[in-house]
């Protein structure tokens, strides 16, 4: 998974804003979502992101997995995230 | 060759083939922009690729609902801005030259209003870091901006401040530039446009006013003795997003992320199809939101509360900058 080139990303404090330059859609992320995007930009794999975030946040593996998948689905629906197929 | 006149707008120089009484004159300075009102019976026959239009919320002064107020097009490497049934402005590819063709029944005062209050801000949006749909006044802390949709009270609030010792910088458009490590605000030109009810409530009843445009009853006040004005740039210290509500005035600070997403809607943008420009504008607004406090101001639309609203704003500024000044 990756942020497509037509999406601008800006970190502001503990939050992140994404702007789809084609659709003009804005999307704000809180601290957890910001960390998700930050890790995804380096690893590209949601499983790897899950492993790292499980160490950083006080949450069970199942809850975190559900939250990350929901966030990823929402971002894909808004064209702020794309799934890369090899 | 027709006579050319030179004027100041946003600390830049505009030359024009018609008199622009709304603007202060600029003598002996090379113009960065030129304007020409073309006297021709026919509109030009350029090939235009329309890409955007503005619709105004229903307003019985402007016209019918669902009719476009302004159409944006790519034309001859530059832009076409068409105000249907009124005027068409062609902006050159380097943005320095603006030509206007006007319908015979469109008064010159309307052409000037469209040029100064719609076209110029849009042109500047491509050449300046950020052009904001906002009014502004100068306080002891620096410039503050009031941001909001048409009808939210930007001009009224700014005029109210100006009448109480805080000179007005702008009633509708502020140019933001980064200078000496801080964001500054610069007005486009002096004056304010107000409804007659606001003129009566905030200014003198007998203040001399001029017509703004043929389709609106708003009146233009240019007299600096009635509405003190300052044209030099000032450090931008706060932005207030105006929200009408009942009850006591209240002010709440926005987090930078929310401030960015809110402010960007009030930035002039001549070409929404230019992704690179949109990315740059996003970065600029984010930077401003990170460096300049942005507040949401809730207040009732009642002239009697303007005094308490001013006091609430000044109190907020004191609290924000008490350690700095």
């Amino acid at each position: 998974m990756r942020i497509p080139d037509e999406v601008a990303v800006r970190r502001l404090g503990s939050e992140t804003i994404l702007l789809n330059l084609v659709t003009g859609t804005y999307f704000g992320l809180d601290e957890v979502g910001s960390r998700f995007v930050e890790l995804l930009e380096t690893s590209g794999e949601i499983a790897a992101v899950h492993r790292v975030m499980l160490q950083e946040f006080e949450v069970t593996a199942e809850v975190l997995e559900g939250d990350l998948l929901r966030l990823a689905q929402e971002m894909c629906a808004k064209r702020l995230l794309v799934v890369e197929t090899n | 060759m027709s006579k050319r006149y030179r004027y100041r707008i946003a600390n830049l120089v505009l030359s024009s083939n018609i008199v622009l009484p709304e603007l202060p004159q600029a003598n002996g300075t090379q113009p960065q922009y030129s304007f020409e009102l073309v006297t021709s019976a026919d509109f030009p026959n350029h090939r235009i690729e329309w890409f955007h239009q503005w619709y105004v919320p229903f307003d019985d002064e402007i016209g019918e609902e669902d009719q476009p107020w302004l159409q944006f097009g790519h034309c001859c490497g530059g832009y076409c801005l068409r105000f249907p049934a009124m005027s068409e402005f062609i902006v050159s590819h380097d943005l320095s030259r603006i030509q206007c063709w006007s319908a015979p029944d469109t008064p010159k005062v309307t052409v000037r209003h469209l040029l100064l209050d719609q076209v110029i801000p849009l042109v500047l949006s491509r050449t300046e870091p950020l052009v904001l749909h906002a009014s502004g006044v100068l306080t002891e802390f620096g410039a503050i901006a009031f941001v909001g949709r048409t009808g939210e009270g930007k001009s009224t609030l700014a005029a109210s401040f100006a009448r109480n010792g805080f000179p007005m910088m702008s009633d509708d458009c502020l140019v933001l530039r980064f200078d000496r490590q801080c964001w500054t605000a610069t007005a486009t030109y002096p004056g304010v446009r107000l409804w007659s009810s606001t003129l009566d409530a905030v200014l003198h009843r007998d203040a001399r006013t001029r017509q703004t445009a043929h389709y609106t009853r708003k009146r233009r006040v240019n007299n600096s003795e009635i509405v003190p004005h300052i044209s030099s740039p000032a450090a931008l210290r706060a932005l207030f997003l105006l929200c009408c509500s009942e009850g006591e005035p209240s002010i709440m600070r926005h987090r930078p992320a929310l401030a960015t997403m809110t402010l960007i809607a009030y930035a002039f943008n001549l070409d929404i199809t230019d992704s690179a420009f949109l990315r740059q504008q996003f970065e600029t607004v984010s930077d401003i939101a990170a460096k300049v406090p942005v507040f949401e101001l809730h207040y009732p639309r009642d002239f009697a509360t303007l005094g308490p609203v001013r006091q609430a704003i000044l109190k907020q500024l004191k609290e924000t900058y008490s350690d700095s000044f």
Side-chain angles (χ1 to χ4, degrees):
Chain A
M1 289 189 140
R2 66 176 181 86
I3 309 282
D5 295 338
E6 67 265 24
V7 173
V9 182
R10 177 75 186 235
R11 188 82 185 237
L12 284 158
S14 62
E15 296 177 282
T16 299
I17 308 172
L18 295 99
L19 165 62
N20 185 310
L21 297 166
V22 172
T23 64
T25 309
Y26 282 88
F27 195 67
L29 294 171
D30 62 10
E31 185 184 354
V32 173
S34 297
R35 185 59 176 148
F36 169 69
V37 164
E38 185 182 18
L39 290 169
L40 205 61
E41 284 182 305
T42 48
S43 75
E45 288 187 8
I46 201 167
V49 171
H50 181 266
R51 277 193 299 276
V52 173
M53 289 184 73
L54 201 54
Q55 303 299 317
E56 295 176 354
F57 292 91
E58 281 188 30
V59 63
T60 66
E62 293 78 18
V63 167
L64 183 61
E65 182 182 341
D67 287 349
L68 294 185
L69 283 174
R70 265 191 298 279
L71 179 58
Q73 276 168 0
E74 192 177 358
M75 288 178 67
C76 284
K78 291 182 182 341
R79 292 163 57 182
L80 299 167
L81 202 60
V82 292
V83 177
E84 291 203 289
T85 52
N86 296 321
Chain B
M1 185 186 294
S2 62
K3 188 171 177 179
R4 304 286 304 181
Y5 306 91
R6 291 188 181 187
Y7 299 98
R8 284 222 168 268
I9 186 159
N11 258 11
L12 303 162
V13 178
L14 169 74
S15 84
S16 168
N17 71 334
I18 63 167
V19 174
L20 301 173
E22 295 84 0
L23 301 184
Q25 290 182 16
N27 299 316
T29 314
Q30 194 64 21
Q32 289 98 343
Y33 297 93
S34 75
F35 172 69
E36 181 188 3
L37 180 61
V38 179
T39 48
S40 165
D42 301 314
F43 273 53
N45 191 22
H46 299 306
R47 185 167 165 270
I48 302 169
E49 289 174 17
W50 300 108
F51 62 84
H52 188 46
Q53 7 195 41
W54 281 355
Y55 290 88
V56 183
F58 180 68
D59 183 322
D60 59 5
E61 287 209 332
I62 291 174
E64 301 160 30
E65 217 165 347
D66 295 334
Q67 294 299 312
W69 158 243
L70 170 56
Q71 295 170 302
F72 296 73
H74 291 120
C75 167
C76 311
Y79 296 94
C80 174
L81 298 170
R82 178 182 289 173
F83 297 85
M86 286 198 285
S87 301
E88 184 164 297
F89 293 79
I90 303 292
V91 182
S92 64
H93 72 281
D94 67 352
L95 304 166
S96 68
R97 190 167 167 234
I98 303 165
Q99 290 179 297
C100 174
W101 282 259
S102 199
D105 57 349
T106 303
K108 264 195 187 159
V109 67
T110 298
V111 172
R112 297 200 308 265
H113 165 59
L114 296 176
L115 170 70
L116 300 180
D117 300 315
Q118 304 288 342
V119 175
I120 295 271
L122 285 165
V123 170
L124 291 179
S125 76
R126 296 289 293 184
T127 58
E128 299 285 346
L130 194 75
V131 181
L132 212 53
H133 189 197
S135 66
V137 298
L138 183 65
T139 71
E140 63 198 281
F141 303 99
I144 60 174
F146 303 119
V147 184
R149 292 187 302 271
T150 299
E152 290 280 2
K154 299 187 295 296
S155 302
T156 300
L157 194 48
S160 167
F161 266 94
R163 293 287 295 162
N164 285 274
F166 303 94
M168 177 177 279
M169 298 185 74
S170 172
D171 85 323
D172 198 51
C173 178
L174 278 174
V175 178
L176 304 189
R177 298 172 172 132
F178 196 70
D179 182 36
R180 278 173 262 181
Q181 309 295 320
C182 77
W183 283 98
T184 66
T186 303
T188 42
Y189 66 96
V192 63
R193 289 161 289 140
L194 299 169
W195 300 110
S196 56
S197 56
T198 309
L199 286 167
D200 291 344
V202 179
L203 308 185
H204 290 311
R205 282 176 183 272
D206 57 354
R208 186 162 169 263
T209 65
R210 294 181 180 179
Q211 187 184 29
T212 297
H214 75 282
Y215 59 78
T216 179
R217 287 189 292 272
K218 271 193 172 182
R219 303 292 295 180
R220 200 184 280 280
V221 180
N222 280 11
N223 189 336
S224 58
E225 287 182 8
I226 295 178
V227 183
H229 178 267
I230 185 157
S231 56
S232 50
L236 181 64
R237 294 300 184 202
L239 296 118
F240 291 88
L241 304 166
L242 304 187
C243 305
C244 297
S245 68
E246 301 299 318
E248 298 292 312
S250 66
I251 297 175
M252 180 183 70
R253 186 158 180 175
H254 268 330
R255 302 183 317 277
L258 182 57
T260 299
M261 289 191 281
T262 312
L263 278 177
I264 198 108
Y266 298 100
F268 284 93
N269 183 356
L270 179 58
D271 189 351
I272 64 164
T273 68
D274 187 342
S275 301
F277 176 82
L278 192 55
R279 183 187 291 268
Q280 179 192 306
Q281 195 172 65
F282 172 56
E283 292 293 332
T284 299
V285 174
S286 301
D287 195 60
I288 292 169
K291 293 186 166 95
V292 182
V294 179
F295 301 95
E296 198 167 282
L297 167 63
H298 290 259
Y299 74 110
R301 294 295 304 278
D302 181 349
F303 294 122
T305 65
L306 283 172
V309 172
R310 290 196 309 272
Q311 292 310 313
I313 291 168
L314 293 170
K315 180 169 177 254
Q316 181 63 65
L317 291 173
K318 278 197 181 84
E319 286 171 7
T320 304
Y321 290 105
S322 57
D323 295 333
S324 309
F325 292 88

